[in-house]
Protein backbone atom coordinates (compact mmCIF):
# COMPACT_ATOMS: atom_id res chain seq x y z
CA UNK A 1 0.00 0.00 0.00
CA UNK A 2 2.96 2.29 0.62
CA UNK A 3 3.63 2.26 -3.11
CA UNK A 4 0.17 3.67 -3.93
CA UNK A 5 0.72 6.34 -1.30
CA UNK A 6 3.96 7.37 -3.02
CA UNK A 7 2.07 7.78 -6.30
CA UNK A 8 0.07 10.53 -4.62
CA UNK A 9 2.80 12.00 -2.44
CA UNK A 10 5.64 12.45 -4.94
CA UNK A 11 3.48 14.38 -7.48
CA UNK A 12 2.30 16.56 -4.59
CA UNK A 13 5.92 17.36 -3.67
CA UNK A 14 6.84 18.10 -7.30
CA UNK A 15 3.77 20.32 -7.74
CA UNK A 16 4.61 22.14 -4.54
CA UNK A 17 8.25 22.71 -5.50
CA UNK A 18 7.84 23.71 -9.14
CA UNK A 19 4.23 24.74 -9.73
CA UNK A 20 3.21 26.41 -6.52
CA UNK A 21 0.91 28.94 -8.25
CA UNK A 22 -1.17 26.13 -9.75
CA UNK A 23 -0.62 23.57 -7.08
CA UNK A 24 -3.94 21.71 -7.14
CA UNK A 25 -4.34 21.70 -10.92
CA UNK A 26 -0.78 20.47 -11.39
CA UNK A 27 -1.18 17.76 -8.81
CA UNK A 28 -4.41 16.54 -10.41
CA UNK A 29 -2.76 16.33 -13.84
CA UNK A 30 0.22 14.49 -12.38
CA UNK A 31 -1.87 11.90 -10.56
CA UNK A 32 -4.15 11.55 -13.60
CA UNK A 33 -1.21 9.93 -15.39
CA UNK A 34 -1.77 6.94 -13.13
CA UNK A 35 -4.25 5.79 -15.79
CA UNK A 36 -1.28 4.13 -17.52
CA UNK A 37 -1.79 1.40 -14.97
CA UNK A 38 -4.79 0.22 -17.03
CA UNK A 39 -2.28 -1.91 -18.93
CA UNK A 40 -2.16 -4.10 -15.81
CA UNK A 41 -5.64 -5.29 -16.80
CA UNK A 42 -4.06 -7.03 -19.79
CA UNK A 43 -1.82 -9.09 -17.57
CA UNK A 44 -2.55 -12.25 -15.65
CA UNK A 45 -2.72 -11.88 -12.72
CA UNK A 46 -3.72 -8.21 -12.84
CA UNK A 47 -1.53 -7.40 -9.89
CA UNK A 48 1.46 -9.37 -8.72
CA UNK A 49 3.51 -7.74 -5.96
CA UNK A 50 6.57 -9.73 -6.99
CA UNK A 51 6.48 -8.63 -10.60
CA UNK A 52 8.32 -5.62 -11.90
CA UNK A 53 5.83 -3.48 -13.86
CA UNK A 54 8.55 -1.63 -15.75
CA UNK A 55 9.47 -3.51 -18.90
CA UNK A 56 6.56 -5.91 -18.44
CA UNK A 57 3.35 -4.02 -19.22
CA UNK A 58 2.96 -2.34 -22.65
CA UNK A 59 2.59 1.17 -21.20
CA UNK A 60 5.52 0.51 -18.84
CA UNK A 61 7.87 -0.68 -21.59
CA UNK A 62 11.13 1.08 -22.33
CA UNK A 63 9.67 2.31 -25.64
CA UNK A 64 6.73 3.87 -23.81
CA UNK A 65 9.11 5.47 -21.31
CA UNK A 66 11.04 6.97 -24.24
CA UNK A 67 7.82 8.57 -25.46
CA UNK A 68 7.08 9.92 -21.96
CA UNK A 69 10.51 11.53 -21.82
CA UNK A 70 9.87 13.14 -25.23
CA UNK A 71 6.67 14.67 -23.85
CA UNK A 72 8.82 16.64 -21.40
CA UNK A 73 10.21 18.72 -24.26
CA UNK A 74 6.89 20.24 -25.28
CA UNK A 75 5.25 22.79 -22.95
CA UNK A 76 1.75 21.48 -23.69
CA UNK A 77 2.53 17.89 -22.79
CA UNK A 78 5.21 18.56 -20.19
CA UNK A 79 3.07 17.96 -17.12
CA UNK A 80 1.65 14.73 -18.48
CA UNK A 81 5.16 13.58 -19.41
CA UNK A 82 6.41 14.57 -15.97
CA UNK A 83 3.66 12.61 -14.26
CA UNK A 84 4.41 9.57 -16.39
CA UNK A 85 8.15 9.72 -15.79
CA UNK A 86 7.56 10.05 -12.03
CA UNK A 87 5.19 7.10 -12.23
CA UNK A 88 7.75 4.94 -14.02
CA UNK A 89 10.47 5.93 -11.57
CA UNK A 90 8.29 4.95 -8.62
CA UNK A 91 7.28 1.66 -10.24
CA UNK A 92 10.93 1.01 -10.98
CA UNK A 93 11.97 1.54 -7.35
CA UNK A 94 9.48 -1.22 -6.50
CA UNK A 95 11.50 -3.64 -8.62
CA UNK A 96 14.33 -3.58 -6.10
CA UNK A 97 12.29 -4.86 -3.17
ZN1 LIG B 1 2.49 1.62 -12.90
Amino acid sequence: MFHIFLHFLVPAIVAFLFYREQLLKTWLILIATMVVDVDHLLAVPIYDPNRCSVGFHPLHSYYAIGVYVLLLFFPKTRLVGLGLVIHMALDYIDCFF
Side-chain angles (χ1 to χ4, degrees):
M1 276 333 259
F2 181 65
H3 177 75
I4 314 265
F5 176 68
L6 277 182
H7 275 304
F8 286 96
L9 180 70
V10 175
I13 293 170
V14 171
F16 182 76
L17 290 178
F18 302 107
Y19 298 94
R20 211 164 297 183
E21 326 76 55
Q22 297 192 27
L23 187 62
L24 189 65
K25 188 181 154 214
T26 305
W27 183 60
L28 289 175
I29 294 172
L30 291 178
I31 57 176
T33 59
M34 241 187 285
V35 295
V36 291
D37 275 345
V38 292
D39 61 3
H40 291 37
L41 300 176
L42 299 171
V44 182
I46 286 173
Y47 180 71
D48 177 353
N50 297 316
R51 181 175 60 206
C52 177
S53 300
V54 178
F56 181 85
H57 301 293
L59 293 173
H60 290 62
S61 66
Y62 294 104
Y63 292 111
I65 294 170
V67 173
Y68 304 156
V69 171
L70 277 179
L71 293 178
L72 294 174
F73 292 97
F74 306 98
K76 277 206 168 102
T77 54
R78 184 166 296 148
L79 274 182
V80 174
L82 186 63
L84 289 164
V85 170
I86 292 170
H87 182 108
M88 294 305 139
L90 291 174
D91 278 8
Y92 196 57
I93 291 170
D94 243 22
C95 300
F96 295 103
F97 293 102

